Amino acid sequence: MIEKTFTQTFSAGTRIYSEGEKADVAYVIVSGQVEITTAQQQGSVTLNLLTQGQLFGEMALFENAPRSATATAVEDTVLTVVSQDQFKERLNNAEPMLRMLIRVFMARYRLSLSQTRSEGMRSQLNAPLPENTLSEETQLLAVGKFKQESELREALQNDQLQVHYQPLLHLQSGLWAGFEALIRWNHPTRGSIPPLEFITLAEETTLIIPIGLFVLRRACEDMVILQQERSKVIADAPPLFVGVNVSSKQLADLDFIERIVEVVNETGLHPSNIKLEITESMTIDYQLVVKWVRRCKELGFSVAIDDFGTGYSSMEHLLELDIDTLKIDQTFIRKMHTEDKAHKLVKGIVNLSRAFEFSIVAEGLETEQDVDSVRDMSVDYGQGYHIGKPQVLEDLLQQIKKGV
Ligand code: C2E
Ligand code: CA
Ligand code: CA
């Protein structure tokens, strides 16, 4: 089980753990100071005095080993809790050679620990590490990731994640056709954090699975509300759709489609109004993507290739993947007015999409000129700051009431 408490506070003088206790979590010091001591014949001996940013109790990450020392807060101390599961998840994702090395080191460590114990010796495992063991950068990065991961788990539990929606304009009718769901993290101290700062971290762990389902559920619920409001204002407008980003980790999770179906059934949104956005740079087994897309189509969902033309583009994808929509990446749109080749490329993608009967979305439309150009090229939908920024449900409802 993943630990439910991600941050713990200890007042000065409180014991964090005691020597000999069984353990399955390690800690990173957010603030304060921690003393590591061990009982010896002559009394308690201080082995280490740790401060902000340092990891301790990490031996528990390797096995449910008894604590080999006692940890006490010297002053009021805040700690990030790192569970064994969090650590194992990273280990399982590591490059095979690294995974093997770590497992070998772990086995050697266990052997030497049991030998030290059986010989009645006190191990040096809690002694301070030589200065140059880790570069400061490595330590900061690794510890920072553990800390941010714990914070993100906490954010999901404490309702700090929010979904914003960016409108997609149907370029011929001038009406909103749908939205893209984009996640935001309302951090208690840092304010609104954009997805690029935390989605990669979520994708490195299995956190992307519950986060993805959270976005999907919220998006479906909110779309039902927007749809109701829209039909009051424009009775005969086509139903609104919502694009939801799907990462490769989610595709690789075999239960994922069933979970999507469950959420969709519970919220009552029709599957055809959900556009699952996948990117070409997906690193997982390509055949898995092909099967996944096929299954989504059987279930009535619509599928889009996001950021088309970037990443590991291959025309083979277009032959094999039964998709509905291509989203042209904003880098091409940005260059369209200054570089003739970029303009031709966008035109080419549009022609190709026509032949394949894909609908097209042009992303990153920031000016009137951008919108006019792609409309002239018969692009179906436009998305970008000139049309509307990602917004919260309440703001969209206000605009829908005005007949957009
Ligand atoms: P994306 O899927 O390509 O989403 C479009 C991004 O372009 C969004 O950034 C959006 O705010 C931004 N954008 C829209 N119009 C314009 C414009 O006119 N100009 C410029 N410069 N940017 C524009 P955002 O919200 O920061 O999201 C970044 C990326 O994070 C997304 O790229 C997507 O890959 C990922 N992401 C966002 N939400 C989720 C999610 O729920 N799940 C997953 N797996 N990924 C997500
Ligand atoms: Ca997208
Ligand atoms: Ca995109």
Side-chain angles (χ1 to χ4, degrees):
M1 260 306 286
I2 300 285
E3 277 290 307
K4 288 283 173 282
T5 318
F6 307 104
T7 309
Q8 286 183 4
T9 307
F10 294 87
S11 49
T14 321
R15 194 162 278 198
I16 300 161
Y17 56 70
S18 302
E19 196 165 350
E21 274 176 11
K22 272 245 166 197
D24 58 3
V25 295
Y27 300 92
V28 175
I29 304 177
V30 178
S31 62
Q33 206 176 27
V34 174
E35 186 182 34
I36 308 290
T37 58
T38 185
Q40 293 197 347
Q41 275 168 352
Q42 64 271 35
S44 170
V45 175
T46 299
L47 297 170
N48 227 339
L49 203 57
L50 306 172
T51 53
Q52 189 183 12
Q54 288 188 291
L55 175 75
F56 67 98
E58 76 285 352
M59 277 173 270
L61 299 179
F62 294 109
E63 52 169 17
N64 292 316
R67 297 292 187 193
S68 56
T70 295
T72 311
V74 179
E75 50 192 72
D76 290 352
T77 296
V78 180
L79 302 175
T80 293
V81 181
V82 182
S83 75
Q84 207 178 33
D85 290 321
Q86 269 173 275
F87 180 73
K88 281 188 177 160
E89 207 168 75
R90 296 240 167 221
L91 190 60
N92 291 340
N93 287 336
E95 200 265 325
M97 179 78 84
L98 269 182
R99 206 158 56 215
M100 183 194 79
L101 276 175
I102 293 172
R103 298 224 186 268
V104 168
F105 290 145
M106 277 160 65
R108 288 204 203 291
Y109 151 75
R110 267 189 218 110
L111 270 175
S112 83
L113 187 66
S114 65
Q115 202 173 357
T116 315
R117 284 212 182 104
S118 70
E119 288 170 9
M121 287 154 62
R122 189 153 292 286
S123 85
Q124 286 298 303
L125 287 168
N126 287 291
L129 294 170
E131 284 278 304
N132 57 355
T133 308
L134 294 175
S135 71
E136 201 168 318
E137 197 191 347
T138 310
Q139 161 115 3
L140 270 176
L141 270 176
V143 164
K145 273 198 171 181
F146 273 137
K147 189 166 166 276
Q148 211 192 4
E149 187 189 334
S150 295
E151 279 185 355
L152 189 52
R153 285 183 194 277
E154 208 162 39
L156 180 64
Q157 234 174 46
N158 297 347
D159 240 11
Q160 287 171 17
L161 298 183
Q162 208 182 25
V163 185
H164 286 204
Y165 303 95
Q166 185 172 31
L168 272 79
L169 188 74
H170 184 248
L171 290 164
Q172 296 309 321
S173 69
L175 284 176
W176 280 3
F179 306 89
E180 175 171 2
L182 295 159
I183 195 166
R184 300 285 180 268
W185 178 358
N186 278 336
H187 195 279
T189 53
R190 291 172 57 198
S192 182
I193 306 181
L196 291 178
E197 283 186 38
F198 64 91
I199 280 291
T200 315
L201 182 82
E203 285 171 345
E204 283 173 12
T205 66
T206 48
L207 250 180
I208 192 65
I209 308 278
I211 289 180
L213 284 171
F214 159 79
V215 172
L216 182 78
R217 179 176 293 277
R218 190 52 60 80
C220 291
E221 288 167 356
D222 289 348
M223 248 359 85
V224 171
I225 298 171
L226 286 165
Q227 191 66 66
Q228 278 169 353
E229 202 54 47
R230 174 46 111 56
S231 55
K232 283 186 211 159
V233 185
I234 315 173
D236 56 350
L240 295 165
F241 59 78
V242 65
V244 176
N245 292 287
V246 175
S247 75
S248 51
K249 240 323 177 354
Q250 290 169 287
L251 286 199
D253 176 21
L254 298 176
D255 291 338
F256 184 56
I257 290 198
E258 273 59 46
R259 308 274 283 279
I260 298 182
V261 173
E262 250 172 58
V263 170
V264 170
N265 285 342
E266 280 167 30
T267 55
L269 193 69
H270 196 274
S272 62
N273 299 331
I274 298 166
K275 218 178 255 300
L276 299 162
E277 299 191 3
I278 59 175
T279 59
E280 293 179 288
S281 54
M282 291 201 154
T283 46
I284 52 165
D285 175 7
Y286 182 58
Q287 283 316 309
L288 197 68
V289 182
V290 175
K291 272 194 211 146
W292 192 88
V293 170
R294 200 173 294 147
R295 183 84 187 109
C296 282
K297 295 305 303 282
E298 281 165 10
L299 291 164
F301 296 104
S302 147
V303 180
I305 292 192
D306 200 1
D307 307 336
F308 182 72
T310 65
Y312 307 95
S313 304
S314 161
M315 289 297 159
E316 198 188 350
H317 295 173
L318 298 184
L319 286 181
E320 283 195 74
L321 295 177
D322 184 14
I323 55 141
D324 305 273
T325 305
L326 281 191
K327 295 190 78 171
I328 307 176
D329 192 69
Q330 38 184 283
T331 42
F332 302 118
I333 306 293
R334 197 124 310 138
K335 291 179 182 162
M336 212 170 49
H337 304 299
T338 50
E339 290 181 29
D340 189 39
K341 271 170 131 180
H343 192 266
K344 284 180 178 153
L345 192 74
V346 174
K347 252 187 152 161
I349 298 174
V350 173
N351 288 338
L352 189 79
S353 302
R354 283 284 155 268
F356 279 92
E357 297 181 354
F358 301 146
S359 65
I360 314 156
V361 179
E363 294 193 272
L365 305 180
E366 290 187 346
T367 62
E368 184 87 51
Q369 193 189 9
D370 289 341
V371 178
D372 289 345
S373 300
V374 294
R375 188 190 287 114
D376 290 348
M377 284 185 214
S378 306
V379 167
D380 304 277
Y381 305 104
Q383 178 179 355
Y385 294 163
H386 188 72
I387 291 159
K389 288 203 164 180
Q391 299 158 59
V392 292
L393 173 74
E394 292 68 29
D395 292 344
L396 294 172
L397 279 170
Q398 292 309 319
Q399 293 170 76
I400 288 223
K401 283 183 182 144
K402 292 181 197 151
V404 286

